Amino acid sequence: MKVHNFNAGPSVLPNEVLYKASKALIDFEGSGMSILEIGHRTQPFIAVMDEARNLVRELMQLDDDFEVLFLHGGATTQFMQVPMNLLESSESAAYVDTGVWSNKAIKEAKLFGFADVVASSKESNYNHIPKQFTIPPKASYLHITTNNTIYGTQWQMTPVTDVPLVADMSSDIMSRSMDFNKYSLIYAGVQKNMGAAGATMVAVRKSILGKVTRKIPAILDYRNHIENGSMLNTPPVFAVYISMLTLRWLKEQGGIPAIEKINDKKAALLYDEIDHNPLFRGTVVKEDRSKMNACFIMDKPEMEEEFLKFCKKEDIVGIKGHRLSGGFRVSMYNALPYESVEVMVEAMKYFSLKKA
Amino acid sequence: MKVHNFNAGPSVLPNEVLYKASKALIDFEGSGMSILEIGHRTQPFIAVMDEARNLVRELMQLDDDFEVLFLHGGATTQFMQVPMNLLESSESAAYVDTGVWSNKAIKEAKLFGFADVVASSKESNYNHIPKQFTIPPKASYLHITTNNTIYGTQWQMTPVTDVPLVADMSSDIMSRSMDFNKYSLIYAGVQKNMGAAGATMVAVRKSILGKVTRKIPAILDYRNHIENGSMLNTPPVFAVYISMLTLRWLKEQGGIPAIEKINDKKAALLYDEIDHNPLFRGTVVKEDRSKMNACFIMDKPEMEEEFLKFCKKEDIVGIKGHRLSGGFRVSMYNALPYESVEVMVEAMKYFSLKKA
């Protein structure tokens, strides 16, 4: 029995990925060893790592200046690793503040140089993406968070700028077509759209590295990871393997354009219900709504607990909103079946009728 | 069919751990979700994390000043995280150089303050553990690597010192009884004796933290991890789960004293053969031999390739020595069955007879 898993991350994965991984845990490709027991410097695992890196390149259509890495540490490590590698201590990087995760990134940048917050939607509790802002031409880079899991907002455009563009895409990577080559560094904890917790994907342009004067610890220097084929130290073997399987699955679905169509359909179905059901109300301005995380509340907050209980009986999991935005958050990552959104919408309709 | 897995790490795991994990990949404790799909802030995973941390505390009999953390990043991250948290830039830490891994740790320490190499066995290609050295009383800490995977040496005693003692125990943690409370910080990549690649265990005394003046990035400050119950960011969920299962298994075996007896027996059996078989010769001085990684060569190096091929046919895996020490390295971590060592020894005997 599978539930309808709307978790914000770690979150739902394709069934075939789980079945394949479950078998590999006992015997990896007939080796007589579990995937957890093989040496990471042996050919079978090097092949896994290479395939994962190549699939990212292929699916995102990255140009040759990019290197793709699978690192330890989560996006939180990238919050400090990015400025450590790119921001001279006397210089300034531009950040757009679209919520909790941007703020964490801004805080870390300040340890290494200056962080210039060029725009923020804080005053409206992050219910939209700022559109009017000026990027200082001397900024070392511009950092954005393309999708904001907690508030349910998502950038619908790529900022036009001459400074290197850096993006935390943890919660919408691989979910929609974008011109990724407009970016200079893209990072993403893989546990939402491209794997399970324990690895972070970094796609970085070689041409932006090596320009800061500080000494960088070996494990935090992107150049070391590039030189070592993303195997500077023992990589998070199983997490990389799950990413490879998930990316293979994505390619089989038709890649990003194909999954985007389904993601569009899922989001349209849910937001349509939010907009037409008298009990519910979206919390984000319509034009900036996230197709990954839909946030909404009830006009009668006292009903929210009851609705949550009702959903639980319907095997709907993970829809309680983050404490900062309240209400509900329904996450619809790549692996979430359309049918799960149908079940969710049916639950909203039924509950509403019952209350009418 | 299982092979005899002598990999140096990642390495062999208990069968019951693999079977349990394989099931949890499909359905974790009847939740209708894979262990990879559950939220890390939900009760089922918090219970996993707490059990893993408590098992470390219990098995190592750590006193109350210790906090146990499961972090991202591998021991290589600890090489820099330790001095970042403990070494003032104007001060000096003492390091004993017992090989490649010590050297990497020393190199990182130099980025943060002074690293004083108080002893080294480099001149004899690290074939022993230095015994005569003086620890400057003002050293911020003394760092040792308790077991050296590449050379097959192992500390047989704990240095007596008043300065905080820091140890990289990646390759012999949980394999033998020690007075762990003599240490102030112990770290270990978990992929040898206590899990699979993707997590690092850190046991640190609260009383040694907060004494350096530098600003530490959030993800690298041990105090943040302690305050957040080892969940500052999304932890490497599956790697922590595998560690929890492996530690449970260890406890069921009778804990460290019980496994130590088996490890002693395994090492005795293999070293006895190395010492009595005319074809083979150990590379390490006897008193410093590692019970985890036995390194040996053949007097006739041209025979080594032939012996490797012979072993391969016997389903013996992972015994080729590291390029820095040559010959063979037979790793015998906790989960390696005694029977595998018997098979290894039989192969050595049979090969020797064939060649006689």
Side-chain angles (χ1 to χ4, degrees), chain A residues 96-108 122 126 145:
Chain A
V96 179
D97 167 24
T98 50
V100 166
W101 304 109
S102 311
N103 267 290
K104 286 180 193 268
I106 291 164
K107 199 175 158 206
E108 298 303 302
K122 187 177 181 179
Y126 299 112
T145 314

Side-chain angles (χ1 to χ4, degrees), chain A residues 2 7 13 22 37 108 218, chain B residues 2 7 13 22 37 108 217-218:
Chain A
K2 289 281 281 188
N7 275 336
L13 282 166
S22 175
E37 300 178 308
E108 298 303 302
Chain B
K2 289 280 281 187
N7 275 335
L13 283 165
S22 175
E37 299 178 309
E108 298 303 303

Side-chain angles (χ1 to χ4, degrees), chain A residues 53-193:
Chain A
R53 296 171 78 198
N54 288 333
L55 279 165
V56 171
R57 180 180 292 284
E58 181 186 341
L59 290 163
M60 293 172 73
Q61 298 183 38
L62 299 176
D63 67 41
D64 288 346
D65 188 26
F66 273 104
E67 288 281 353
V68 177
L69 304 170
F70 280 85
L71 306 179
H72 292 268
T76 306
T77 297
Q78 295 307 308
F79 296 161
M80 59 102 188
Q81 195 168 352
V82 163
M84 187 182 268
N85 280 268
L86 303 182
L87 180 57
E88 196 63 80
S89 58
S90 57
E91 301 198 343
S92 183
Y95 279 77
V96 179
D97 167 24
T98 50
V100 166
W101 304 109
S102 311
N103 267 290
K104 286 180 193 268
I106 291 164
K107 199 175 158 206
E108 298 303 302
K110 287 178 179 167
L111 298 177
F112 298 94
F114 298 91
D116 184 3
V117 180
V118 296
S120 172
S121 46
K122 187 177 181 179
E123 298 211 342
S124 51
N125 199 28
Y126 299 112
N127 73 348
H128 69 284
I129 299 291
K131 315 241 170 9
Q132 301 296 328
F133 53 88
T134 310
I135 305 153
K138 283 194 159 184
S140 298
Y141 56 83
L142 171 68
H143 180 284
I144 67 169
T145 314
T146 52
N147 184 75
N148 302 283
T149 34
I150 291 176
Y151 311 94
T153 61
Q154 189 172 27
W155 286 73
Q156 310 301 336
M157 41 70 90
T158 297
V160 179
T161 173
D162 287 332
V163 312
L165 192 52
V166 175
D168 176 358
M169 295 195 184
S170 293
S171 53
D172 67 352
I173 187 96
M174 303 281 172
S175 74
R176 56 174 175 161
S177 303
M178 291 169 81
D179 186 353
F180 297 107
N181 289 312
K182 286 189 176 155
Y183 293 81
S184 288
L185 192 154
I186 293 165
Y187 63 90
V190 301
Q191 66 269 22
K192 298 172 201 285
N193 272 324

Side-chain angles (χ1 to χ4, degrees), chain B residues 73-313:
Chain B
T76 306
T77 297
Q78 295 308 308
F79 296 161
M80 59 102 190
Q81 194 168 352
V82 163
M84 188 182 266
N85 280 266
L86 303 182
L87 180 56
E88 196 65 79
S89 58
S90 57
E91 301 198 342
S92 183
Y95 280 76
V96 179
D97 167 23
T98 50
V100 166
W101 304 109
S102 311
N103 268 289
K104 286 180 195 265
I106 291 164
K107 199 176 158 203
E108 298 303 303
K110 287 178 178 167
L111 298 177
F112 297 95
F114 297 91
D116 185 2
V117 180
V118 296
S120 173
S121 46
K122 187 176 181 180
E123 299 209 344
S124 51
N125 199 28
Y126 300 113
N127 73 348
H128 69 283
I129 298 290
K131 316 238 167 13
Q132 302 295 329
F133 53 88
T134 311
I135 304 152
K138 283 195 156 180
S140 298
Y141 55 83
L142 171 68
H143 180 284
I144 66 169
T145 313
T146 53
N147 184 75
N148 302 284
T149 34
I150 290 176
Y151 311 93
T153 61
Q154 189 173 28
W155 286 73
Q156 309 301 338
M157 42 72 88
T158 297
V160 179
T161 173
D162 287 333
V163 311
L165 192 52
V166 175
D168 175 359
M169 296 194 184
S170 294
S171 53
D172 67 353
I173 188 99
M174 303 281 173
S175 73
R176 56 174 174 163
S177 303
M178 292 170 80
D179 187 354
F180 298 107
N181 289 313
K182 287 191 176 152
Y183 293 82
S184 289
L185 192 153
I186 293 165
Y187 63 90
V190 301
Q191 67 268 20
K192 297 171 202 285
N193 271 324
M194 54 179 285
T200 307
M201 192 285 288
V202 174
V204 58
R205 290 192 174 281
K206 292 188 284 284
S207 56
I208 64 166
L209 299 176
K211 296 185 178 173
V212 293
T213 53
R214 76 171 56 82
K215 284 178 184 163
I216 302 172
I219 190 82
L220 295 175
D221 192 329
Y222 296 121
R223 292 171 301 176
N224 283 340
H225 291 285
I226 292 170
E227 269 168 38
N228 287 280
S230 203
M231 295 251 224
L232 177 64
N233 66 337
T234 310
V237 170
F238 190 71
V240 174
Y241 177 65
I242 294 290
S243 273
M244 186 276 277
L245 293 179
T246 307
L247 293 167
R248 250 191 211 171
W249 170 85
L250 178 55
K251 187 177 169 182
E252 284 160 14
Q253 307 307 302
I256 295 177
I259 208 80
E260 182 176 27
K261 271 190 203 154
I262 303 171
N263 288 337
D264 284 351
K265 265 184 67 184
K266 290 188 290 187
L269 180 64
L270 182 63
Y271 281 118
D272 189 62
E273 183 61 25
I274 291 169
D275 290 338
H276 291 96
N277 189 315
L279 292 186
F280 301 95
R281 187 157 47 86
T283 53
V284 164
V285 303
K286 286 190 180 178
E287 63 187 19
D288 293 335
R289 279 174 167 176
S290 166
K291 285 173 182 161
M292 295 286 101
N293 318 96
C295 291
F296 53 100
I297 54 176
M298 290 180 104
D299 274 325
K300 297 182 181 155
E302 66 277 11
M303 256 187 212
E304 290 184 351
E305 200 54 40
E306 197 185 336
F307 181 63
L308 275 177
K309 273 186 194 155
F310 172 75
C311 287
K312 202 177 167 186
K313 279 194 292 184

